[in-house]
Amino acid sequence: MTAERIAAALREAAAGLGAPGADVQLERPKDPSHGDLASNLALALASRLRRAPREIAADLKGRLDGLAGIDRIEVAGPGFLNFFLELRAVGEALGRILAERSDYGRSREGEGRRIMVEFVSANPTGPLHLGHGRQAALGDALASLLEWSGWSVHREFYFNDAGRQTELLAESVLARYRQLLGHEDPVPKGGYQGEYVAEIARALLERDGLRYEDDAGGAELEAIRRFAIEAMQETQKRYLAAFGVRFDEYFAETALYREGRVRATLQALDEAGVVYERDGATWLRTATFGDQKDRVMLKSDGSATYFLPDVAYHVGKWERGFRDVINVQGADHHSTVDRVRAGLQALGIPEGYPEYLLHQMVTVVRGDEEVRFSKRSGSYTTLGELIEEVGVDVARYFFLIRRPEAHLVFDLELALDQSDKNPVYKVKYAHARLCRLSRIARRRGWDGMDGPDAPEADASLLSAPSERELTKRLADFPATLGRATKARAPHILCDYLERTAGVVNSWYQAGHPSRDPEASALVEDEPTRRARLTLAVAARIVLANGLQVLGIEAPARMTRGS
RNA sequence: GCGCCCGUAGCUCAGCUGGAUAGAGCAUCGGCCUUCUAAGCCGAGGGUCCCAGGUUCGAGUCCUGGCGGGCGUACCA
């Protein structure tokens, strides 16, 4: 590729000027008058070479003579080198896109190594809410990005099925169950009030009949607890499936106890000399490893806090062979980061393990009005209700549209809009328009662009500014995916897709028959038509692949609403 | 009090290793449909990048200190 050749030539030229091993990065100038590619190498080398940047740039330029595919090189501004490529070189990406098709954008960066992405990890004590929605979309998109970058990804969901909260759930279910039988049991203090608890109680009654009616004391609470957790998990899994998210493994906290891993972790920490007793409780010296203060592992009543099994769980991840782990969590859990890492470090696991991706909270608005999370009608309490109203694709996209560390405002009014104002639809429409071009071409007997044996198009015929711009954008797709993956930031891909869709729409519109038939992809001149249809197919592939990464459908046609 | 995150156009937000004149969508205003679906396109206005210092040839981006907002800071989960 031309860009790689230029970078290599620049490195060599820099070495020739006395600066070997320079880190050369080419960038896409925003302004087309700054060329197709630009390098700030001369600026970066100025202090090292103790020379004026523009002077260095001129020397570099002198050493780059005769590079194929380059029309001209300019020294500009404070010392930039701007490269203007021949159209053929700009268009070389098109051939690659047509050849790689649905694989265009994949890389081998991860070299097949295993990586775990843990996300959602909701407690089995209630339905999934909107925060879980953001996490589901984010974790799944991140996992998908990693797969596209050549990692072997394991998607995992951890659930706390052992703590006090699950007992409270069971007690709440029992109260509701007895209410169904005409008793006046109140839901326990701090218990779960939601309607879903009553539903579980009804299901329990249906399955087991009157078995627990006289069990106000709770002798069979364990059976109820298991039933409730299972029911809750079924519901969660159903919503996640509807949301298009699938996990390789659901990991239960109780498994840690059953296998003795909690006790073993406690013992190992004790042997490491980082455990002490105070006020009847057992503490871990997490402050020694960067935590703000020491933490309790065993309460004075002998039961464990969440912290201890959390550490045991992550020791398990390490022992299962996962050297790369990303935990996707809400920012309200950020205090666990330091303490879990501290516990792991005390056991000799490297600092900074595991990696965390913390995302900020979600607020929902309808126009100017904030939607409160309450049980009153018209408010959203669960992910399921949201999906039902706006659809899976819109929900997924909206959850991904912002940087994880930025607060997310979910606008229902915009989400329900089906015009191009809605960014998801903008991308889908662009994709559908490109499909339509190919359909019409086929209908007119101009076939052959879509097959695997499509003849090479002449990219030098793509001379309009919008064609050049679109071609360059398409060439940047693999690098954009790479950047999004490394930054753990799917929104970078959203941003790319929206901009690309904008360029597509603009190009499409310029060639609309009512505007300029000569600029259309469907012109009579065969070589020109072939080149433009190739561009259309390439753009379609890129949009489809991008949406695929985000788990969003790329329709070949959009049906007009009434 | 302490810790993490955020502060960019009226609103919601991008801004890649520090680089050229700070960008997009929405909203507002003005143009463009007999033609491949205009669910669109073109154009315009709109900015003390929270403030103050510092590092640098160069800071929205890095450092320090403020101010404002969110989330944490349990022998809760």
Side-chain angles (χ1 to χ4, degrees), chain A residues 21 25 63 88 100 119 136 168 239 300 303 313 321 379 388 482 535:
Chain A
Q25 301 276 344
R63 287 165 182 263
R88 204 174 304 278
E100 298 182 9
F119 62 112
L168 261 176
Y239 282 149
S300 47
S303 66
Y313 172 50
S379 298
E388 211 167 290
L535 179 60

Side-chain angles (χ1 to χ4, degrees), chain A residues 276 278 283-288 291-296:
Chain A
Y276 63 93
R278 197 181 75 204
W283 297 68
L284 182 66
R285 294 187 195 282
T286 54
T288 312
D291 198 5
Q292 275 196 279
K293 51 188 257 191
D294 290 348
R295 308 287 174 175
V296 170

Side-chain angles (χ1 to χ4, degrees), chain A residues 38-150:
Chain A
S39 170
N40 65 350
L41 181 61
L43 293 156
L45 292 180
S47 66
R48 185 168 160 192
L49 296 177
R50 295 161 150 263
R51 292 177 58 199
R54 282 195 68 104
E55 208 179 286
I56 298 171
D59 275 4
L60 288 171
K61 182 188 167 192
R63 287 165 182 263
L64 292 175
D65 271 348
L67 268 178
I70 295 181
D71 190 42
R72 66 182 195 280
I73 305 171
E74 287 180 0
V75 175
F80 289 100
L81 277 170
N82 294 339
F83 298 86
F84 295 80
L85 307 188
E86 290 170 5
L87 275 176
R88 204 174 304 278
V90 172
E92 66 189 0
L94 297 180
R96 186 178 157 200
I97 296 170
L98 273 286
E100 298 182 9
R101 295 260 149 186
S102 60
D103 284 332
Y104 178 65
R106 288 189 186 273
S107 82
R108 296 185 215 286
E109 184 82 24
E111 299 171 322
R113 280 170 291 167
R114 290 206 303 158
I115 186 166
M116 179 196 289
V117 180
E118 185 212 320
F119 62 112
V120 185
S121 296
N123 284 346
T125 51
L128 299 174
H129 54 68
L130 296 191
H132 295 123
R134 183 174 195 184
Q135 201 165 120
L138 195 53
D140 197 48
L142 177 60
S144 183
L145 278 169
L146 287 161
E147 282 166 348
W148 276 69
S149 292

Side-chain angles (χ1 to χ4, degrees), chain A residues 180-247:
Chain A
L180 287 172
L181 297 173
H183 301 279
E184 301 213 339
D185 296 28
V187 172
K189 199 158 145 250
Y192 294 91
Q193 304 283 348
E195 183 52 30
Y196 66 92
V197 179
E199 279 168 32
I200 296 172
R202 272 192 290 278
L204 183 67
L205 181 61
E206 197 171 308
R207 191 191 73 167
D208 290 348
L210 302 178
R211 190 171 142 195
Y212 315 103
E213 183 172 10
D214 299 320
D215 189 39
E220 297 210 65
L221 214 51
E222 177 57 20
I224 298 174
R225 199 178 67 93
R226 281 196 193 162
F227 181 83
I229 288 173
E230 204 170 304
M232 223 44 263
Q233 276 218 300
E234 280 314 304
T235 309
Q236 290 183 356
K237 284 183 186 175
R238 205 168 53 241
Y239 282 149
L240 288 168
F243 202 44
V245 178
R246 191 189 44 73
F247 286 91

Side-chain angles (χ1 to χ4, degrees), chain A residues 418-484:
Chain A
Q418 300 203 346
S419 76
D420 272 21
K421 285 179 195 168
N422 183 333
V424 198
Y425 281 92
K426 179 175 181 170
V427 178
K428 284 175 178 247
Y429 284 129
H431 179 266
R433 279 186 192 109
L434 294 166
C435 290
R436 184 165 56 238
L437 282 179
S438 293
R439 273 200 305 275
I440 293 167
R442 252 193 311 279
R443 201 187 304 147
R444 295 185 184 173
W446 296 331
D447 214 343
M449 291 328 303
D450 255 348
D453 51 353
E456 194 82 353
D458 184 357
S460 67
L461 295 171
L462 299 171
S463 55
S466 60
E467 289 167 345
R468 195 186 183 108
E469 188 188 355
L470 181 54
T471 308
K472 284 193 279 185
R473 288 202 66 84
L474 301 181
D476 289 340
F477 180 62
T480 303
L481 282 186
R483 218 154 46 78

Side-chain angles (χ1 to χ4, degrees), chain A residues 5-18:
Chain A
R5 278 207 319 279
I6 294 175
L10 275 174
R11 258 185 294 275
E12 201 177 314
L17 293 181

